[in-house]
Amino acid sequence: AVLSKALEDVELNADVSVVDLGAGTGLCGAPLRKVLAPKTPHITAVDLSTRMLERCAERGDHDAVVEGEAVDHLRRLPADSVDIIVAADVLAYIGDCAELFGEAHRVLRAHGRLVFTLEEGDAGFGLGPGGRFVHSEAYLYDAAAAAGLRVVALDRGPMRSQGGAPVVALIAA
C-alpha cells in the first residue's frame, strides 16, 4: 500500500527503469511490477551479498542483479537515467544519507522517485538500540533538501520486529 501511494502520481516514460538498492532476496520486485502495471519496468537488483542475489534471481522478479554497494552502483549510472530508486531497509546501514541522496538526485529523471524506509530516531542520525542507524524526520527533510530532493510522501509503519516488538519506520518518497 505504501509503495502504491508513493508512486501513484509519478510520471513515467514507456521505458521505466527501476533500481532496487539493497534488494536482498528480491521481495520488492513483485510489488513493484504490480504497482507499475501495465508498464513493464526494467528492474535492477543491487546488493552486497552474492547469496542474496542468487535467491533474488531465483525469485525472477528482477531483470538484472548486480553485486555491489548502493552509492557505488549509483555513481556508475549516467545522469537522468532512472525513474525509480527503492531502498527498503537499506538506510539503517548508512548513517549520513548525503551521498546516497546526492547520487539519487543525479541519476533520477525529471519526474523520478526515491522511495525508502528509515528507522525513526529522535534527532539527526546515529546508532539505535539495535546497532542500526536511526534517522529523525527533521534530518530526512534537511538531507533531502540539501541533495536537491523533495519529500512528497511520508508515512510511519512497522518495518520489522526486534525482540518481539515492532520497529517503526519512516516510509518516504
mmCIF file of all heavy atoms in Angstrom, residues 61-106:
data_model
loop_
_atom_site.group_PDB
_atom_site.id
_atom_site.type_symbol
_atom_site.label_atom_id
_atom_site.label_comp_id
_atom_site.label_asym_id
_atom_site.label_seq_id
_atom_site.Cartn_x
_atom_site.Cartn_y
_atom_site.Cartn_z
ATOM 1 N N ASP A 61 11.753 -11.827 -10.297
ATOM 2 C CA ASP A 61 11.027 -10.575 -10.478
ATOM 3 C C ASP A 61 11.915 -9.411 -10.908
ATOM 4 O O ASP A 61 11.407 -8.337 -11.216
ATOM 5 C CB ASP A 61 10.293 -10.197 -9.184
ATOM 6 C CG ASP A 61 9.217 -11.207 -8.841
ATOM 7 O OD1 ASP A 61 8.447 -11.585 -9.747
ATOM 8 O OD2 ASP A 61 9.153 -11.640 -7.672
ATOM 9 N N HIS A 62 13.222 -9.603 -10.891
ATOM 10 C CA HIS A 62 14.171 -8.571 -11.319
ATOM 11 C C HIS A 62 14.773 -8.980 -12.663
ATOM 12 O O HIS A 62 14.986 -10.163 -12.920
ATOM 13 C CB HIS A 62 15.283 -8.395 -10.276
ATOM 14 C CG HIS A 62 14.811 -7.776 -8.995
ATOM 15 N ND1 HIS A 62 14.055 -8.470 -8.080
ATOM 16 C CD2 HIS A 62 14.984 -6.537 -8.488
ATOM 17 C CE1 HIS A 62 13.779 -7.667 -7.050
ATOM 18 N NE2 HIS A 62 14.335 -6.492 -7.274
ATOM 19 N N ASP A 63 15.065 -8.000 -13.496
ATOM 20 C CA ASP A 63 15.628 -8.271 -14.823
ATOM 21 C C ASP A 63 17.136 -8.426 -14.794
ATOM 22 O O ASP A 63 17.712 -9.048 -15.687
ATOM 23 C CB ASP A 63 15.247 -7.140 -15.776
ATOM 24 C CG ASP A 63 13.741 -7.024 -15.906
ATOM 25 O OD1 ASP A 63 13.130 -7.928 -16.481
ATOM 26 O OD2 ASP A 63 13.181 -6.038 -15.382
ATOM 27 N N ALA A 64 17.770 -7.839 -13.799
ATOM 28 C CA ALA A 64 19.227 -7.916 -13.673
ATOM 29 C C ALA A 64 19.584 -7.883 -12.192
ATOM 30 O O ALA A 64 18.846 -7.302 -11.386
ATOM 31 C CB ALA A 64 19.890 -6.740 -14.390
ATOM 32 N N VAL A 65 20.681 -8.529 -11.844
ATOM 33 C CA VAL A 65 21.197 -8.475 -10.479
ATOM 34 C C VAL A 65 22.648 -8.005 -10.545
ATOM 35 O O VAL A 65 23.411 -8.430 -11.404
ATOM 36 C CB VAL A 65 21.087 -9.830 -9.734
ATOM 37 C CG1 VAL A 65 19.638 -10.212 -9.500
ATOM 38 C CG2 VAL A 65 21.807 -10.935 -10.463
ATOM 39 N N VAL A 66 22.994 -7.088 -9.646
ATOM 40 C CA VAL A 66 24.327 -6.505 -9.626
ATOM 41 C C VAL A 66 24.864 -6.570 -8.205
ATOM 42 O O VAL A 66 24.225 -6.070 -7.276
ATOM 43 C CB VAL A 66 24.297 -5.027 -10.095
ATOM 44 C CG1 VAL A 66 25.682 -4.407 -9.999
ATOM 45 C CG2 VAL A 66 23.745 -4.922 -11.507
ATOM 46 N N GLU A 67 26.023 -7.179 -8.049
ATOM 47 C CA GLU A 67 26.648 -7.224 -6.734
ATOM 48 C C GLU A 67 27.432 -5.932 -6.527
ATOM 49 O O GLU A 67 28.270 -5.557 -7.350
ATOM 50 C CB GLU A 67 27.595 -8.421 -6.628
ATOM 51 C CG GLU A 67 28.141 -8.614 -5.240
ATOM 52 C CD GLU A 67 28.978 -9.880 -5.097
ATOM 53 O OE1 GLU A 67 28.877 -10.776 -5.963
ATOM 54 O OE2 GLU A 67 29.730 -9.965 -4.110
ATOM 55 N N GLY A 68 27.137 -5.238 -5.439
ATOM 56 C CA GLY A 68 27.854 -4.005 -5.153
ATOM 57 C C GLY A 68 27.169 -3.175 -4.094
ATOM 58 O O GLY A 68 26.060 -3.475 -3.650
ATOM 59 N N GLU A 69 27.859 -2.125 -3.720
ATOM 60 C CA GLU A 69 27.366 -1.196 -2.701
ATOM 61 C C GLU A 69 26.451 -0.165 -3.367
ATOM 62 O O GLU A 69 26.657 0.204 -4.530
ATOM 63 C CB GLU A 69 28.584 -0.526 -2.042
ATOM 64 C CG GLU A 69 28.277 0.248 -0.783
ATOM 65 C CD GLU A 69 27.891 1.685 -1.069
ATOM 66 O OE1 GLU A 69 28.293 2.226 -2.126
ATOM 67 O OE2 GLU A 69 27.168 2.259 -0.247
ATOM 68 N N ALA A 70 25.453 0.294 -2.654
ATOM 69 C CA ALA A 70 24.403 1.147 -3.205
ATOM 70 C C ALA A 70 24.932 2.435 -3.852
ATOM 71 O O ALA A 70 24.639 2.718 -5.020
ATOM 72 C CB ALA A 70 23.387 1.489 -2.114
ATOM 73 N N VAL A 71 25.691 3.222 -3.108
ATOM 74 C CA VAL A 71 26.169 4.500 -3.627
ATOM 75 C C VAL A 71 27.134 4.272 -4.797
ATOM 76 O O VAL A 71 27.063 4.975 -5.811
ATOM 77 C CB VAL A 71 26.821 5.352 -2.520
ATOM 78 C CG1 VAL A 71 27.417 6.637 -3.090
ATOM 79 C CG2 VAL A 71 25.801 5.682 -1.430
ATOM 80 N N ASP A 72 28.012 3.287 -4.680
ATOM 81 C CA ASP A 72 28.936 2.978 -5.783
ATOM 82 C C ASP A 72 28.169 2.625 -7.057
ATOM 83 O O ASP A 72 28.554 3.029 -8.157
ATOM 84 C CB ASP A 72 29.867 1.823 -5.410
ATOM 85 C CG ASP A 72 30.909 2.216 -4.385
ATOM 86 O OD1 ASP A 72 31.145 3.430 -4.193
ATOM 87 O OD2 ASP A 72 31.491 1.301 -3.756
ATOM 88 N N HIS A 73 27.095 1.855 -6.910
ATOM 89 C CA HIS A 73 26.301 1.499 -8.091
ATOM 90 C C HIS A 73 25.698 2.745 -8.734
ATOM 91 O O HIS A 73 25.766 2.908 -9.962
ATOM 92 C CB HIS A 73 25.190 0.509 -7.728
ATOM 93 C CG HIS A 73 24.351 0.146 -8.903
ATOM 94 N ND1 HIS A 73 24.793 -0.713 -9.886
ATOM 95 C CD2 HIS A 73 23.130 0.574 -9.300
ATOM 96 C CE1 HIS A 73 23.860 -0.816 -10.829
ATOM 97 N NE2 HIS A 73 22.846 -0.044 -10.490
ATOM 98 N N LEU A 74 25.120 3.617 -7.922
ATOM 99 C CA LEU A 74 24.523 4.834 -8.472
ATOM 100 C C LEU A 74 25.573 5.695 -9.168
ATOM 101 O O LEU A 74 25.291 6.294 -10.208
ATOM 102 C CB LEU A 74 23.821 5.635 -7.371
ATOM 103 C CG LEU A 74 22.585 4.980 -6.744
ATOM 104 C CD1 LEU A 74 22.025 5.853 -5.626
ATOM 105 C CD2 LEU A 74 21.520 4.665 -7.784
ATOM 106 N N ARG A 75 26.780 5.753 -8.611
ATOM 107 C CA ARG A 75 27.859 6.543 -9.232
ATOM 108 C C ARG A 75 28.183 6.075 -10.649
ATOM 109 O O ARG A 75 28.628 6.857 -11.475
ATOM 110 C CB ARG A 75 29.132 6.457 -8.391
ATOM 111 C CG ARG A 75 29.132 7.358 -7.205
ATOM 112 C CD ARG A 75 30.526 7.405 -6.559
ATOM 113 N NE ARG A 75 30.432 8.077 -5.304
ATOM 114 C CZ ARG A 75 30.663 7.517 -4.125
ATOM 115 N NH1 ARG A 75 31.044 6.254 -4.040
ATOM 116 N NH2 ARG A 75 30.536 8.202 -3.012
ATOM 117 N N ARG A 76 28.008 4.789 -10.914
ATOM 118 C CA ARG A 76 28.321 4.235 -12.234
ATOM 119 C C ARG A 76 27.221 4.495 -13.274
ATOM 120 O O ARG A 76 27.434 4.256 -14.458
ATOM 121 C CB ARG A 76 28.579 2.734 -12.121
ATOM 122 C CG ARG A 76 29.887 2.392 -11.416
ATOM 123 C CD ARG A 76 30.244 0.920 -11.548
ATOM 124 N NE ARG A 76 29.298 0.035 -10.900
ATOM 125 C CZ ARG A 76 29.368 -0.357 -9.625
ATOM 126 N NH1 ARG A 76 30.348 0.062 -8.859
ATOM 127 N NH2 ARG A 76 28.472 -1.184 -9.120
ATOM 128 N N LEU A 77 26.070 4.953 -12.826
ATOM 129 C CA LEU A 77 24.955 5.174 -13.750
ATOM 130 C C LEU A 77 25.029 6.570 -14.369
ATOM 131 O O LEU A 77 25.469 7.517 -13.723
ATOM 132 C CB LEU A 77 23.623 5.022 -13.009
ATOM 133 C CG LEU A 77 23.326 3.644 -12.425
ATOM 134 C CD1 LEU A 77 22.012 3.668 -11.651
ATOM 135 C CD2 LEU A 77 23.289 2.581 -13.504
ATOM 136 N N PRO A 78 24.567 6.697 -15.610
ATOM 137 C CA PRO A 78 24.533 8.021 -16.235
ATOM 138 C C PRO A 78 23.494 8.918 -15.548
ATOM 139 O O PRO A 78 22.516 8.427 -14.982
ATOM 140 C CB PRO A 78 24.114 7.742 -17.682
ATOM 141 C CG PRO A 78 24.070 6.275 -17.846
ATOM 142 C CD PRO A 78 24.137 5.639 -16.499
ATOM 143 N N ALA A 79 23.703 10.209 -15.641
ATOM 144 C CA ALA A 79 22.733 11.174 -15.110
ATOM 145 C C ALA A 79 21.394 11.000 -15.822
ATOM 146 O O ALA A 79 21.341 10.604 -16.991
ATOM 147 C CB ALA A 79 23.257 12.590 -15.304
ATOM 148 N N ASP A 80 20.329 11.271 -15.109
ATOM 149 C CA ASP A 80 18.977 11.254 -15.674
ATOM 150 C C ASP A 80 18.629 9.933 -16.362
ATOM 151 O O ASP A 80 18.040 9.923 -17.441
ATOM 152 C CB ASP A 80 18.801 12.413 -16.680
ATOM 153 C CG ASP A 80 19.145 13.755 -16.075
ATOM 154 O OD1 ASP A 80 18.707 14.036 -14.944
ATOM 155 O OD2 ASP A 80 19.872 14.521 -16.732
ATOM 156 N N SER A 81 18.972 8.812 -15.730
ATOM 157 C CA SER A 81 18.779 7.515 -16.378
ATOM 158 C C SER A 81 17.811 6.579 -15.652
ATOM 159 O O SER A 81 17.508 5.503 -16.152
ATOM 160 C CB SER A 81 20.130 6.808 -16.528
ATOM 161 O OG SER A 81 20.698 6.544 -15.256
ATOM 162 N N VAL A 82 17.314 6.987 -14.485
ATOM 163 C CA VAL A 82 16.498 6.096 -13.664
ATOM 164 C C VAL A 82 15.190 6.787 -13.297
ATOM 165 O O VAL A 82 15.180 7.977 -12.986
ATOM 166 C CB VAL A 82 17.254 5.693 -12.377
ATOM 167 C CG1 VAL A 82 16.398 4.820 -11.471
ATOM 168 C CG2 VAL A 82 18.558 4.992 -12.715
ATOM 169 N N ASP A 83 14.088 6.030 -13.327
ATOM 170 C CA ASP A 83 12.788 6.576 -12.948
ATOM 171 C C ASP A 83 12.497 6.396 -11.463
ATOM 172 O O ASP A 83 11.940 7.287 -10.832
ATOM 173 C CB ASP A 83 11.667 5.896 -13.758
ATOM 174 C CG ASP A 83 11.770 6.216 -15.221
ATOM 175 O OD1 ASP A 83 11.510 7.380 -15.575
ATOM 176 O OD2 ASP A 83 12.126 5.313 -16.008
ATOM 177 N N ILE A 84 12.843 5.233 -10.940
ATOM 178 C CA ILE A 84 12.506 4.917 -9.551
ATOM 179 C C ILE A 84 13.682 4.218 -8.892
ATOM 180 O O ILE A 84 14.261 3.288 -9.457
ATOM 181 C CB ILE A 84 11.267 3.994 -9.474
ATOM 182 C CG1 ILE A 84 10.043 4.692 -10.096
ATOM 183 C CG2 ILE A 84 10.977 3.581 -8.038
ATOM 184 C CD1 ILE A 84 8.891 3.761 -10.386
ATOM 185 N N ILE A 85 14.016 4.683 -7.690
ATOM 186 C CA ILE A 85 15.009 4.010 -6.859
ATOM 187 C C ILE A 85 14.292 3.593 -5.579
ATOM 188 O O ILE A 85 13.630 4.421 -4.935
ATOM 189 C CB ILE A 85 16.189 4.937 -6.505
ATOM 190 C CG1 ILE A 85 16.916 5.408 -7.765
ATOM 191 C CG2 ILE A 85 17.159 4.230 -5.545
ATOM 192 C CD1 ILE A 85 17.938 6.512 -7.515
ATOM 193 N N VAL A 86 14.418 2.325 -5.237
ATOM 194 C CA VAL A 86 13.833 1.804 -3.999
ATOM 195 C C VAL A 86 14.978 1.422 -3.076
ATOM 196 O O VAL A 86 15.939 0.771 -3.497
ATOM 197 C CB VAL A 86 12.940 0.573 -4.284
ATOM 198 C CG1 VAL A 86 12.412 -0.036 -2.985
ATOM 199 C CG2 VAL A 86 11.791 0.941 -5.205
ATOM 200 N N ALA A 87 14.872 1.839 -1.822
ATOM 201 C CA ALA A 87 15.875 1.485 -0.805
ATOM 202 C C ALA A 87 15.121 1.096 0.468
ATOM 203 O O ALA A 87 15.006 1.875 1.411
ATOM 204 C CB ALA A 87 16.828 2.649 -0.556
ATOM 205 N N ALA A 88 14.555 -0.109 0.464
ATOM 206 C CA ALA A 88 13.787 -0.604 1.604
ATOM 207 C C ALA A 88 14.732 -1.255 2.608
ATOM 208 O O ALA A 88 15.451 -2.185 2.271
ATOM 209 C CB ALA A 88 12.739 -1.609 1.128
ATOM 210 N N ASP A 89 14.729 -0.737 3.819
ATOM 211 C CA ASP A 89 15.562 -1.250 4.916
ATOM 212 C C ASP A 89 17.054 -1.224 4.571
ATOM 213 O O ASP A 89 17.797 -2.120 4.922
ATOM 214 C CB ASP A 89 15.114 -2.656 5.320
ATOM 215 C CG ASP A 89 15.546 -3.012 6.734
ATOM 216 O OD1 ASP A 89 15.877 -2.106 7.520
ATOM 217 O OD2 ASP A 89 15.581 -4.218 7.053
ATOM 218 N N VAL A 90 17.474 -0.190 3.865
ATOM 219 C CA VAL A 90 18.873 -0.021 3.476
ATOM 220 C C VAL A 90 19.556 1.059 4.311
ATOM 221 O O VAL A 90 20.698 0.913 4.722
ATOM 222 C CB VAL A 90 18.984 0.353 1.974
ATOM 223 C CG1 VAL A 90 20.390 0.769 1.597
ATOM 224 C CG2 VAL A 90 18.524 -0.807 1.110
ATOM 225 N N LEU A 91 18.839 2.158 4.557
ATOM 226 C CA LEU A 91 19.459 3.303 5.210
ATOM 227 C C LEU A 91 19.772 3.046 6.679
ATOM 228 O O LEU A 91 20.489 3.830 7.298
ATOM 229 C CB LEU A 91 18.601 4.550 5.028
ATOM 230 C CG LEU A 91 18.369 4.916 3.555
ATOM 231 C CD1 LEU A 91 17.539 6.170 3.435
ATOM 232 C CD2 LEU A 91 19.664 5.052 2.802
ATOM 233 N N ALA A 92 19.304 1.935 7.215
ATOM 234 C CA ALA A 92 19.682 1.533 8.571
ATOM 235 C C ALA A 92 21.161 1.141 8.618
ATOM 236 O O ALA A 92 21.745 1.031 9.689
ATOM 237 C CB ALA A 92 18.822 0.362 9.036
ATOM 238 N N TYR A 93 21.778 0.963 7.446
ATOM 239 C CA TYR A 93 23.200 0.621 7.354
ATOM 240 C C TYR A 93 24.041 1.808 6.885
ATOM 241 O O TYR A 93 25.239 1.682 6.705
ATOM 242 C CB TYR A 93 23.392 -0.566 6.405
ATOM 243 C CG TYR A 93 22.611 -1.776 6.845
ATOM 244 C CD1 TYR A 93 21.390 -2.093 6.266
ATOM 245 C CD2 TYR A 93 23.068 -2.566 7.892
ATOM 246 C CE1 TYR A 93 20.657 -3.183 6.702
ATOM 247 C CE2 TYR A 93 22.340 -3.658 8.335
ATOM 248 C CZ TYR A 93 21.131 -3.960 7.735
ATOM 249 O OH TYR A 93 20.402 -5.032 8.177
ATOM 250 N N ILE A 94 23.371 2.941 6.662
ATOM 251 C CA ILE A 94 24.052 4.149 6.203
ATOM 252 C C ILE A 94 23.710 5.260 7.191
ATOM 253 O O ILE A 94 22.537 5.575 7.368
ATOM 254 C CB ILE A 94 23.563 4.552 4.785
ATOM 255 C CG1 ILE A 94 23.886 3.458 3.780
ATOM 256 C CG2 ILE A 94 24.181 5.873 4.363
ATOM 257 C CD1 ILE A 94 23.311 3.695 2.398
ATOM 258 N N GLY A 95 24.692 5.837 7.805
ATOM 259 C CA GLY A 95 24.418 6.915 8.749
ATOM 260 C C GLY A 95 24.014 8.182 8.027
ATOM 261 O O GLY A 95 22.836 8.520 7.924
ATOM 262 N N ASP A 96 24.980 8.883 7.497
ATOM 263 C CA ASP A 96 24.735 10.130 6.781
ATOM 264 C C ASP A 96 24.258 9.781 5.372
ATOM 265 O O ASP A 96 24.973 9.141 4.602
ATOM 266 C CB ASP A 96 26.025 10.952 6.726
ATOM 267 C CG ASP A 96 25.843 12.319 6.124
ATOM 268 O OD1 ASP A 96 24.735 12.618 5.620
ATOM 269 O OD2 ASP A 96 26.806 13.095 6.159
ATOM 270 N N CYS A 97 23.075 10.206 5.024
ATOM 271 C CA CYS A 97 22.456 9.858 3.741
ATOM 272 C C CYS A 97 22.833 10.822 2.615
ATOM 273 O O CYS A 97 22.332 10.685 1.489
ATOM 274 C CB CYS A 97 20.939 9.838 3.890
ATOM 275 S SG CYS A 97 20.355 8.618 5.067
ATOM 276 N N ALA A 98 23.705 11.795 2.887
ATOM 277 C CA ALA A 98 24.017 12.838 1.906
ATOM 278 C C ALA A 98 24.508 12.269 0.579
ATOM 279 O O ALA A 98 24.050 12.684 -0.491
ATOM 280 C CB ALA A 98 25.047 13.816 2.477
ATOM 281 N N GLU A 99 25.450 11.336 0.609
ATOM 282 C CA GLU A 99 25.987 10.780 -0.647
ATOM 283 C C GLU A 99 24.921 10.025 -1.428
ATOM 284 O O GLU A 99 24.793 10.192 -2.640
ATOM 285 C CB GLU A 99 27.161 9.836 -0.367
ATOM 286 C CG GLU A 99 28.496 10.508 -0.226
ATOM 287 C CD GLU A 99 29.600 9.473 -0.190
ATOM 288 O OE1 GLU A 99 29.726 8.783 0.848
ATOM 289 O OE2 GLU A 99 30.312 9.349 -1.198
ATOM 290 N N LEU A 100 24.162 9.187 -0.735
ATOM 291 C CA LEU A 100 23.137 8.409 -1.413
ATOM 292 C C LEU A 100 22.082 9.342 -2.005
ATOM 293 O O LEU A 100 21.696 9.196 -3.172
ATOM 294 C CB LEU A 100 22.471 7.410 -0.466
ATOM 295 C CG LEU A 100 21.463 6.530 -1.198
ATOM 296 C CD1 LEU A 100 21.816 5.074 -1.018
ATOM 297 C CD2 LEU A 100 20.072 6.809 -0.725
ATOM 298 N N PHE A 101 21.622 10.314 -1.238
ATOM 299 C CA PHE A 101 20.620 11.249 -1.745
ATOM 300 C C PHE A 101 21.174 12.066 -2.911
ATOM 301 O O PHE A 101 20.474 12.308 -3.895
ATOM 302 C CB PHE A 101 20.143 12.180 -0.633
ATOM 303 C CG PHE A 101 19.221 11.540 0.380
ATOM 304 C CD1 PHE A 101 18.875 10.205 0.323
ATOM 305 C CD2 PHE A 101 18.707 12.291 1.418
ATOM 306 C CE1 PHE A 101 18.025 9.620 1.270
ATOM 307 C CE2 PHE A 101 17.853 11.733 2.366
ATOM 308 C CZ PHE A 101 17.511 10.399 2.286
ATOM 309 N N GLY A 102 22.425 12.490 -2.816
ATOM 310 C CA GLY A 102 23.041 13.256 -3.896
ATOM 311 C C GLY A 102 23.141 12.470 -5.187
ATOM 312 O O GLY A 102 22.825 12.971 -6.273
ATOM 313 N N GLU A 103 23.576 11.224 -5.092
ATOM 314 C CA GLU A 103 23.670 10.377 -6.288
ATOM 315 C C GLU A 103 22.287 10.030 -6.828
ATOM 316 O O GLU A 103 22.083 9.964 -8.042
ATOM 317 C CB GLU A 103 24.473 9.105 -6.004
ATOM 318 C CG GLU A 103 25.963 9.340 -5.933
ATOM 319 C CD GLU A 103 26.521 9.940 -7.218
ATOM 320 O OE1 GLU A 103 26.236 9.430 -8.324
ATOM 321 O OE2 GLU A 103 27.250 10.946 -7.121
ATOM 322 N N ALA A 104 21.330 9.821 -5.935
ATOM 323 C CA ALA A 104 19.956 9.555 -6.380
ATOM 324 C C ALA A 104 19.439 10.745 -7.182
ATOM 325 O O ALA A 104 18.860 10.567 -8.262
ATOM 326 C CB ALA A 104 19.058 9.268 -5.181
ATOM 327 N N HIS A 105 19.657 11.938 -6.671
ATOM 328 C CA HIS A 105 19.215 13.141 -7.384
ATOM 329 C C HIS A 105 19.854 13.229 -8.772
ATOM 330 O O HIS A 105 19.198 13.568 -9.759
ATOM 331 C CB HIS A 105 19.548 14.389 -6.568
ATOM 332 C CG HIS A 105 19.131 15.658 -7.227
ATOM 333 N ND1 HIS A 105 20.009 16.433 -7.950
ATOM 334 C CD2 HIS A 105 17.932 16.269 -7.308
ATOM 335 C CE1 HIS A 105 19.361 17.470 -8.432
ATOM 336 N NE2 HIS A 105 18.105 17.397 -8.064
ATOM 337 N N ARG A 106 21.121 12.889 -8.870
ATOM 338 C CA ARG A 106 21.843 12.961 -10.138
ATOM 339 C C ARG A 106 21.286 11.977 -11.165
ATOM 340 O O ARG A 106 21.127 12.307 -12.341
ATOM 341 C CB ARG A 106 23.339 12.689 -9.917
ATOM 342 C CG ARG A 106 24.203 12.874 -11.160
ATOM 343 C CD ARG A 106 25.648 12.478 -10.895
ATOM 344 N NE ARG A 106 25.810 11.054 -10.621
ATOM 345 C CZ ARG A 106 25.767 10.091 -11.558
ATOM 346 N NH1 ARG A 106 25.586 10.403 -12.825
ATOM 347 N NH2 ARG A 106 25.930 8.830 -11.218
#
